[in-house]
Amino acid sequence: MKSYATPLVLAAVRSLGADVDTVVFEAPRNPEHGDLSTNVAMTLAKQLKKAPRQIAEDIVDALDMDSSIVTEVSIAGPGFINFKFSTGFYGKRLHEVLKIGDSFGRVESGTGKTVNVEYVSANPTGLLHLGHGRNAAVGDTVANILDWNGYDVTREYYFNNAGNQMTMLAKSIHARYMQMEQPDFPMPENGYMGPYIAEIAAEVRQKHGDGFKELSSEHLEVFRSEGEQWCTQRINITMESLGIHHDVLFNEDTLYTEGKIDSVIQRLRDAGYAYDKDGAVWLKLSELGLDDDRVIVKSTGEPTYRLPDIAYHITKLERGFDVVVDIFGPDHIATIPDVMAGCRALGFDDSRIRPLIYQIVALYENGQQVKMSKRTGKSYTLDDLIEELGADVVRFFFIMRGITTPLDFDLDLAREQSDKNPAFYLQYAHARICSVFAKAEVPDVSSVNCDVLQDEHEIALIQQLLRFPEIVERAGRTLEPVTIVEYLREAAASFHRFYHFCPILKAESEDLKQARLALCVMARIVIRNGLSILGISAPNKM
RNA sequence: GCGCCAGUAGCUCAGCUGGAUAGAGCAACUGACUUCUAAUCAGUAGGUCAUAGGUUCGACUCCUAUCUGGCGUACCA
């Protein structure tokens, strides 16, 4: 619609002597306002020094449109110009979409560009929890959205199997190991308390015997590596069950072994943004647009988290990605400006970095928040959720809200195997279409006469489905999974309405039946593609 | 104190680069299964878009201030 109307309106506007390069169209919310609407007349009021309605009239007069395509042009309200398209036009568009087939919705906004999406990135010190779930679902969906926008997408997992946390993991396992013989053996301070630690300890004992009581560095290494293996394996299984696969596993350790950390410090010094004070190395954030300088290397010689984070982002930029997307939880908010400033300090364009920060997840059951116990470490793990609800529902619930909205995960609603559960609404639309095709042949696309589709529900459905590529493109800009979710909800609603009012198999004529079947094919393409962007299955039966 | 995110229907939330009468779902009420799946559909009811100013033809959307809530603010990661 837009591609047809844009050049014509543009020509008409220019013939009035106005200087414009784009005309904005939108689909009016109220169908009485036509199929397409533009506000050019209002935006030009100042430039042309005329009343918006007068300008609108002039534009309409200068407009040269094919009346078999646009049946009605009207002026309404403060100066909107509304267009009504012929039903035949929609039939043609339906034909075009059927020719495109399964790739309908793929757009070119990112063609030729590379993007790195980093998500999950949990360290191998425990099981994944709810926050990781949101991170995983959002990250994977964003990666899918970028893929559909034509980007060359690399999915990356950044993990750290070195440092204090791993030592703490080893000590915690050791303590549980000791407790199998001495129940009062103390846990290390700030140790990991989850029940999985005892599980690992039991495995170590079974595998290596009970001769690891002394906490020598050799023994510690055994506990550490057993713990890492156990956690890594479990994380992989969880990712697998959500259908998530990363292309690159980036180990923080390599930043040290390959000298990247030292090199970044040196480069920051050379650029005049790093200095020594009180035995530590500081980053001059105050000269990079932030308030206070921060330590990047402690007086003990160890780097703070900022330094490897900066070095890691530098490597991503140096690997040549046009866009670097980070999926972070709210606990990372404070560090992001530091990291971006660090990249700026070394001359990189930090607008290439696109941090996405999702808000916290809270679990609700029986109307009450389920609190995690600090003392026992007991809480709902992501595995528990997936096992109970299935991957589709879990993924859907994690992306059904905007990422800046704190997510209340309602367990009771998610458990509901009924119409209350919003995840099923979309899948049901797909299953319904499939059930039609269980009883009818897929029509021959080339010979179907789509012009017979005249009913308002048919036209509304085609209009809705035609918007899909535009939605994918918008999602590529917002990087908000909810953009796709909300659209699919509307598309599914349009389909359900069409299904309710327009009999397909028992249509009045064979022509109409074939045309409606063709419309079902189009609907199935859009819903299936949309669900695949969300990483949710499109069942044939429910 | 400072920073980030939010405040929209009883509840949970959408709302496009600023557009026409602010939309869904749940909960409540009323209807539709002899029918291609009722996990659906149609309808009723429900609103000072936190508050006060400003910008303009036009503000839920942008700006300023205030209030409320969440999170963050280490030579912890």
Side-chain angles (χ1 to χ4, degrees), chain A residues 275-316:
Chain A
Y275 63 93
D276 298 284
K277 192 180 112 188
D278 305 333
V281 183
W282 294 68
L283 182 60
K284 254 187 212 172
L285 291 170
S286 58
E287 286 187 16
L288 290 160
L290 300 176
D291 289 339
D292 299 309
D293 292 354
R294 298 286 180 190
V295 170
I296 51 174
V297 182
K298 296 188 246 178
S299 51
T300 59
E302 294 168 60
T304 66
Y305 64 89
R306 270 184 204 90
L307 184 52
D309 277 3
I310 292 170
Y312 173 51
H313 279 79
I314 298 283
T315 70
K316 286 200 273 193

Side-chain angles (χ1 to χ4, degrees), chain A residues 29 113 120 124 160 164 243 249 254 261 264-265 296 308 364 382-383 422 442 463 469 484:
Chain A
R29 227 170 302 170
K113 287 186 236 168
V120 188
N160 179 358
N164 290 333
L249 197 63
T254 62
I261 296 285
V264 165
I265 297 174
I296 51 174
Y364 281 81
L382 188 51
D383 287 328
V442 173
Q463 285 177 337
I484 304 284

Side-chain angles (χ1 to χ4, degrees), chain A residues 1 34-35 90 458-468:
Chain A
M1 289 190 281
D35 302 325
Y90 291 113
E458 293 163 343
I459 300 301
L461 177 57
I462 297 175
Q463 285 177 337
Q464 187 66 250
L465 297 173
L466 285 173
R467 291 179 59 211
F468 184 51

Side-chain angles (χ1 to χ4, degrees), chain A residues 9 64 106 154 163 236 255 403 416 432 449 482:
Chain A
V9 173
D64 181 23
R106 288 200 176 269
T154 298
N236 287 340
L255 293 173
I403 61 172
E416 194 87 39
R432 259 186 157 176
N449 173 18
V482 77

Side-chain angles (χ1 to χ4, degrees), chain A residues 234-266:
Chain A
R234 292 295 291 267
I235 290 170
N236 287 340
I237 292 172
T238 310
M239 287 298 100
E240 184 69 32
S241 66
L242 286 175
I244 292 174
H245 303 273
H246 286 88
D247 303 310
V248 176
L249 197 63
F250 191 100
N251 191 336
E252 182 179 343
D253 207 32
T254 62
L255 293 173
Y256 297 87
T257 56
E258 292 175 10
K260 302 268 201 251
I261 296 285
D262 292 335
S263 134
V264 165
I265 297 174
Q266 195 52 52

Side-chain angles (χ1 to χ4, degrees), chain A residues 338-532:
Chain A
D338 298 358
V339 170
M340 292 179 67
C343 293
R344 246 181 357 254
L346 294 187
F348 289 96
D349 174 9
D350 65 346
S351 69
R352 284 161 63 194
I353 300 174
R354 185 84 188 269
L356 299 181
I357 300 157
Y358 59 89
Q359 291 297 311
I360 49 167
V361 181
L363 194 64
Y364 281 81
E365 191 171 19
N366 302 321
Q368 298 226 323
Q369 188 171 353
V370 182
K371 294 265 188 196
M372 169 177 159
S373 162
K374 263 261 159 63
R375 198 163 343 114
T376 64
K378 226 181 170 175
S379 69
Y380 253 94
T381 63
L382 188 51
D383 287 328
D384 295 336
L385 271 190
I386 297 168
E387 195 184 329
E388 185 174 352
L389 306 170
D392 284 341
V393 171
V394 168
R395 283 191 66 139
F396 185 84
F397 271 66
F398 277 129
I399 55 172
M400 69 195 273
R401 304 289 179 233
I403 61 172
T404 60
T405 303
L407 181 67
D408 292 337
F409 199 114
D410 184 341
L411 257 183
D412 303 306
L413 183 61
R415 282 190 187 115
E416 194 87 39
Q417 296 278 320
S418 74
D419 57 326
K420 285 181 200 161
N421 192 323
F424 293 126
Y425 187 79
L426 309 179
Q427 293 186 311
Y428 184 55
H430 186 266
R432 259 186 157 176
I433 298 170
C434 292
S435 78
V436 171
F437 286 116
K439 297 187 179 173
E441 291 295 311
V442 173
D444 176 12
V445 170
S446 57
S447 67
V448 172
N449 173 18
C450 294
D451 293 352
V452 294
L453 297 173
Q454 304 274 336
D455 187 273
E456 56 170 316
H457 297 101
E458 293 163 343
I459 300 301
L461 177 57
I462 297 175
Q463 285 177 337
Q464 187 66 250
L465 297 173
L466 285 173
R467 291 179 59 211
F468 184 51
E470 189 188 315
I471 297 296
V472 171
E473 199 169 340
R474 188 195 304 166
R477 288 195 306 268
T478 62
L479 298 186
E480 270 280 12
V482 77
T483 303
I484 304 284
V485 173
E486 288 297 318
Y487 166 74
L488 275 187
R489 216 199 286 269
E490 285 169 23
S494 294
F495 174 77
H496 285 309
R497 223 169 290 137
F498 157 75
Y499 182 92
H500 184 80
F501 287 106
C502 304
I504 300 162
L505 300 179
K506 292 176 181 167
E508 298 96 85
S509 70
E510 183 61 23
D511 268 7
L512 189 56
K513 175 179 168 183
Q514 292 304 318
R516 284 181 177 165
L517 283 169
L519 182 46
C520 284
V521 173
M522 181 178 177
R524 185 167 63 176
I525 289 168
V526 168
I527 292 172
R528 185 185 282 165
N529 288 351
L531 286 173
S532 104

Side-chain angles (χ1 to χ4, degrees), chain A residues 209-229:
Chain A
D210 57 3
F212 289 72
K213 295 184 176 97
E214 288 302 315
L215 204 47
S216 65
S217 61
E218 260 169 79
H219 292 173
L220 199 62
E221 174 52 27
V222 170
F223 287 111
R224 198 203 65 83
S225 92
E226 287 293 336
E228 178 188 337
Q229 272 180 41

